[in-house]
Amino acid sequence: MRGCPVLLRAAAEGPGLGRFRERFDFGGRDVASWFPGHMAKGLRQMRSSLRRADCLIEVHDARIPLSGRNPILKEVLGIRPHILVLNKMDLADPSQQPTVLEHLKQQQCSHVVFADCKRDVNVKKIVPMVAKLVDNSPRYHRAESTEYSIMVIGVPNVGKSSLINSLRRLHLKKGKATPVGGDPGITKAVLTRIQVCEKPLMYLVDTPGVLAPNLGDVETGMKLALCGAIRDHLVGEDIMADYLLYALNKRQQFRYVQRYGLAEACDDIGLVLRHVALAQGRTQKVKVLTGTGNVNMMMLSYPAAAYEFLRDFRAGRLGRVTLD
């Protein structure tokens, strides 16, 4: 635990076994400053390309269906027909879907698709929905065009490229057209148009993930980070692991107890990460100076354990969790 202040504080002040925190102490942190140059450039390109788009598909993570949707993108949506695809539904709590849909309806977002783009779940609903929306909306300067031009937008690492590849698999029987990765920032420039359907003739334009220049709400930033939209090292794996434990306990998601061999659910991140390190064999060699010279000892690696804890959550091994 040496060198990890969040873990030390949690171990010293945490409520321990059987009691859970009612609120999370962010320790005055601010995670609202990640807006790389390629994001600003991408936003400018998106705005310049908007007039050529018949419809916008916003892709977001189903685990945070309400948090983190970029307000700048909402401005970009303008008067264009808009579909919200909540990807990674296989990782989110299905019992929360009706509540999520009701909240989104109150935000004037009525065309929503829960999807798992890696397995092509519900993706077939999208092309007919796009065609119907475009046909029932004014197309302005594109009124004479017989093809559909769709822009895909969203924050980083929510599966925009996975959606495009899924549509191509389903409608064109073709493979990947855009690179896909587990880290934010894979798509760094607005790409050329990509055909995803023959009948109707439909092209999609992939865009880089764009975060708001100022998130404002630290908890929203933490949720985005847990879902991979912000790089871990910018926030800190230690505090992310602690917040994840808080979020799991708050939702009574206790699968981590069995997975890591704990006696019962607990609110002490230091204790949890000790069990993670033991269960996953996360150790590090440390040189210790003794009276007879240097001795190499194996010690538990808490940073590696925190990374494993986050990775298990992102892979769904700790249960299907909706963070909103």
Side-chain angles (χ1 to χ4, degrees):
M1 237 185 267
R2 186 178 301 164
C4 196
V6 171
L7 302 186
L8 289 170
R9 187 174 68 246
E13 302 175 2
L17 294 173
R19 297 170 56 196
F20 304 128
R21 289 165 285 185
E22 295 182 2
R23 56 179 293 276
F24 188 82
D25 179 11
F26 291 100
R29 293 204 177 205
D30 179 10
V31 296
S33 60
W34 193 50
F35 196 73
H38 76 263
M39 286 194 181
K41 179 182 178 183
L43 188 59
R44 288 194 299 270
Q45 289 178 305
M46 286 163 58
R47 282 177 166 148
S48 66
S49 302
L50 184 62
R51 65 190 304 271
R52 298 190 294 274
D54 297 309
C55 180
L56 299 173
I57 297 179
E58 179 190 358
V59 186
H60 201 56
D61 195 309
R63 293 168 294 182
I64 45 172
L66 309 175
S67 294
R69 292 177 61 207
N70 192 335
I72 295 177
L73 296 182
K74 292 180 185 178
E75 295 171 16
V76 170
L77 297 178
I79 57 175
R80 295 292 190 279
H82 168 232
I83 293 173
L84 174 62
V85 175
L86 291 173
N87 189 29
K88 307 183 184 181
M89 63 176 286
D90 57 308
L91 302 176
D93 184 350
S95 69
Q96 296 299 312
Q97 287 189 14
T99 304
V100 168
L101 289 172
E102 184 59 35
H103 277 292
L104 290 170
K105 186 177 180 180
Q106 293 172 10
Q107 298 175 9
Q108 285 74 52
C109 188
S110 54
H111 300 99
V112 182
V113 177
F114 286 90
D116 173 5
C117 294
K118 286 188 176 180
R119 298 175 182 84
D120 302 334
V121 177
N122 287 346
V123 177
K124 276 195 172 179
K125 296 179 180 180
I126 294 173
V127 164
M129 188 181 291
V130 167
K132 183 176 180 180
L133 280 174
V134 174
D135 290 345
N136 292 334
S137 304
R139 298 185 74 193
Y140 307 105
H141 61 287
R142 291 183 49 78
E144 302 302 319
S145 178
T146 58
E147 66 186 40
Y148 298 85
S149 181
I150 316 300
M151 182 179 289
V152 183
I153 62 176
V155 301
N157 202 28
V158 289
K160 297 181 294 297
S161 299
S162 294
L163 171 64
I164 291 177
N165 293 332
S166 177
L167 287 167
R168 283 174 60 83
R169 280 195 302 271
L170 289 169
H171 297 286
L172 298 178
K173 310 302 179 188
K174 300 212 174 157
K176 292 182 179 179
T178 64
V180 175
D183 292 319
I186 294 296
T187 304
K188 294 191 178 179
V190 177
L191 305 179
T192 55
R193 296 193 315 159
I194 302 165
Q195 184 179 354
V196 294
C197 190
E198 188 69 43
K199 293 182 181 180
L201 183 57
M202 188 175 295
Y203 292 88
L204 263 62
V205 177
D206 196 7
T207 63
V210 179
L211 287 168
N214 294 293
L215 294 173
D217 180 356
V218 176
E219 188 155 17
T220 295
M222 191 66 68
K223 292 177 182 179
L224 283 164
L226 282 181
C227 294
I230 300 175
R231 293 186 183 275
D232 293 350
H233 73 272
L234 294 171
V235 182
E237 288 90 341
D238 56 346
I239 193 171
M240 288 172 62
D242 195 20
Y243 179 81
L244 174 57
L245 178 63
Y246 159 79
L248 292 173
N249 288 336
K250 184 178 179 181
R251 289 156 183 80
Q252 297 188 329
Q253 293 275 1
F254 301 131
R255 191 176 294 186
Y256 69 86
V257 174
Q258 181 179 4
R259 179 165 180 81
Y260 304 127
L262 278 81
E264 59 182 313
C266 114
D267 213 10
D268 181 344
I269 187 60
L271 179 60
V272 171
L273 292 187
R274 174 179 171 78
H275 279 77
V276 174
L278 289 168
Q280 304 291 344
R282 293 301 170 186
T283 59
Q284 59 186 346
K285 189 179 293 185
V286 177
K287 189 174 289 186
V288 179
L289 181 61
T290 69
T292 57
N294 292 338
V295 176
N296 289 326
M297 295 181 61
M298 298 303 296
M299 297 184 66
L300 298 179
S301 174
Y302 283 84
Y307 172 74
E308 287 295 329
F309 190 39
L310 297 174
R311 194 168 72 163
D312 279 348
F313 164 72
R314 290 166 179 164
R317 290 188 283 266
L318 303 180
R320 298 178 67 174
V321 182
T322 298
L323 294 172
D324 284 337

